[in-house]
Amino acid sequence: MRDVGSQGGGGAAGGAEAGRCGCGGRAVTYLRYSGTHRCGPCLLKSVEERARGELRRQADLAHGTKVAVAVSGGKDSLVALHVVAQAAARRRGVEVLAITVDEGIAGYRPPSVGAAAAAAARLGVEHRVVALGERDRVTVDEIAALEREMAPCSFCGVLRRRLANAEARRWGAHWLATGHNLDDVAQSILLSFVRGDLGKLARLAPHDSAYEGLVPRILPLRSVPEKEVMLYALLRGMPVLAGQCPHMGRAARGSIKEMLLALEDAHPGTRHTVLRAHERLQPLLREGLAPGRSPGRSPGPCPRCGEPSAGGVCQACALLDDVQAGRALRASGL
Ligand code: SF4
């Protein structure tokens, strides 16, 4: 297999074809942040070791533990499901459930729901699909068509998290794993800084505890760069769907992603540094923003839907109000 590109890892100085892995095998990639070449088998082993390490640090997978995995059907979530199922198979009495939220994005979501179902079946894991259109009577395509000021992703992420959490809780999950990789996590941290959202920085997963009703989220791939997750998926023969969400371009995350890739190119290792800095900062933020220290915000059930909220009406209900306002405006012809 050829190197999949220089993003965060390759480059002229480190072409994979020119290099040999530490084991002597032919390299499939070069990782600039660590200055190492990796062959296929060593890359697979290294990704699994990092994922297992993260699982050990983030979750207690004792006998009787139930782990739900949010599986969109994209490469990251398929790899997350694989490593969680693999970890569960090494233990006794750990159950796994795959949950897919269908946000209602025509042409994009249906193939990935199929990929999620196939992956779960291959691993012998139960798979459930929950549709936004059925539960919240709205689809992301409709939200995008309303052309509100906020990008559809702001709605999609919040509504999807609420649905996945509710389904995981209904099943009795102790943990909810997601497929966020190092690039995603570093982007979320920087995005929260750019928005000055200290509460979000404090709440970002992984969670060692969560308030009532919220299944603590864990991120087994959070220290694995996106490129390595992609290679892992390809080397394991997982389907890597080519389609891109049609609403992607409107996300603020896109500009953060570009900035982060430029930084990684100029200063290899930037994503790891951002993650480590946040790990050190987060306990201080959680302590500083704990209930009683931040007036007017105490976690509890949303007074409207009963789902967990960081304080008062939850973000999902507030966003659904915005959708209703958009529908009313559209109906009035203004
Ligand atoms: Fe949802 Fe945005 Fe992702 Fe599309 S790109 S699936 S709208 S979060």
Side-chain angles (χ1 to χ4, degrees):
M1 179 183 293
R2 293 178 56 241
D3 188 10
V4 292
S6 63
Q7 172 259 310
E17 292 82 357
R20 289 270 157 198
C21 178
C23 73
R26 186 170 179 272
V28 293
T29 192
Y30 175 70
L31 309 175
R32 280 184 70 202
Y33 67 83
S34 59
T36 50
H37 289 87
R38 286 261 159 83
C39 66
C42 286
L43 181 91
L44 292 174
K45 189 166 162 239
S46 149
V47 168
E48 286 169 3
E49 279 172 358
R50 275 174 282 170
R52 272 204 300 276
E54 289 294 343
L55 280 169
R56 264 197 309 275
R57 273 191 291 277
Q58 296 175 31
D60 177 11
L61 299 184
H63 188 278
T65 304
K66 297 175 95 172
V67 187
V69 186
V71 186
S72 66
K75 66 181 189 317
D76 302 298
S77 64
L78 294 182
V79 173
L81 178 63
H82 189 90
V83 296
V84 169
Q86 206 176 43
R90 287 169 166 240
R91 294 166 168 80
R92 281 171 178 266
V94 176
E95 283 181 70
V96 181
L97 169 74
I99 300 173
T100 302
V101 176
D102 180 352
E103 311 91 337
I105 304 173
Y108 171 67
R109 188 51 74 213
S112 64
V113 172
R122 260 198 314 277
L123 293 164
V125 167
E126 185 191 343
H127 179 229
R128 296 183 187 174
V129 181
V130 282
L132 201 57
E134 281 171 26
R135 298 283 170 95
D136 286 318
R137 307 266 172 253
V138 69
T139 64
V140 168
D141 279 347
E142 187 200 350
I143 291 169
L146 289 171
E147 293 181 355
R148 309 293 292 160
E149 276 176 16
M150 271 194 282
C153 297
S154 313
F155 292 82
C156 181
V158 171
L159 297 174
R160 186 175 46 195
R161 272 194 298 278
R162 181 169 75 163
L163 266 189
N165 181 71
E167 193 59 33
R169 195 185 57 229
R170 205 168 291 128
W171 180 64
H174 298 94
W175 306 98
L176 174 57
T178 67
H180 292 88
N181 59 49
L182 176 63
D183 295 59
D184 299 323
V185 172
Q187 286 161 25
S188 296
I189 294 166
L190 291 183
L191 196 56
S192 301
F193 266 112
V194 167
R195 290 175 172 160
D197 192 342
L198 297 184
K200 181 82 185 285
L201 278 169
R203 290 192 304 274
L204 281 175
H207 303 138
D208 45 12
S209 64
Y211 37 91
E212 204 183 329
L214 192 69
V215 181
R217 283 201 305 278
I218 53 173
L219 318 174
L221 303 177
R222 74 165 180 160
S223 52
V224 184
E226 181 175 11
K227 172 183 159 181
E228 288 165 71
V229 176
M230 166 73 94
L231 272 170
Y232 184 93
L234 291 171
L235 289 164
R236 284 261 176 253
M238 296 176 186
V240 176
L241 302 172
Q244 182 168 299
C245 175
H247 311 303
M248 183 97 127
R250 292 172 63 184
R253 184 176 280 269
S255 35
I256 296 286
K257 182 175 182 172
E258 280 171 28
M259 185 187 82
L260 197 55
L261 287 178
L263 279 170
E264 184 70 37
D265 203 38
H267 310 284
T270 296
R271 294 163 298 182
H272 291 84
T273 307
V274 170
L275 174 65
R276 279 196 297 272
H278 180 254
E279 274 176 348
R280 295 176 65 187
L281 184 62
Q282 197 174 38
L284 305 176
L285 285 168
R286 283 181 175 167
E287 168 66 19
L289 299 174
R293 294 196 176 213
S294 44
R297 301 270 297 171
S298 57
C302 166
R304 300 259 291 276
C305 68
E307 287 297 318
S309 161
V313 171
C314 73
Q315 239 187 329
C317 284
L319 288 171
L320 288 171
D321 283 349
D322 202 41
V323 172
Q324 288 301 349
R327 282 172 174 161
L329 202 64
R330 173 163 282 202
S332 72
L334 289 175

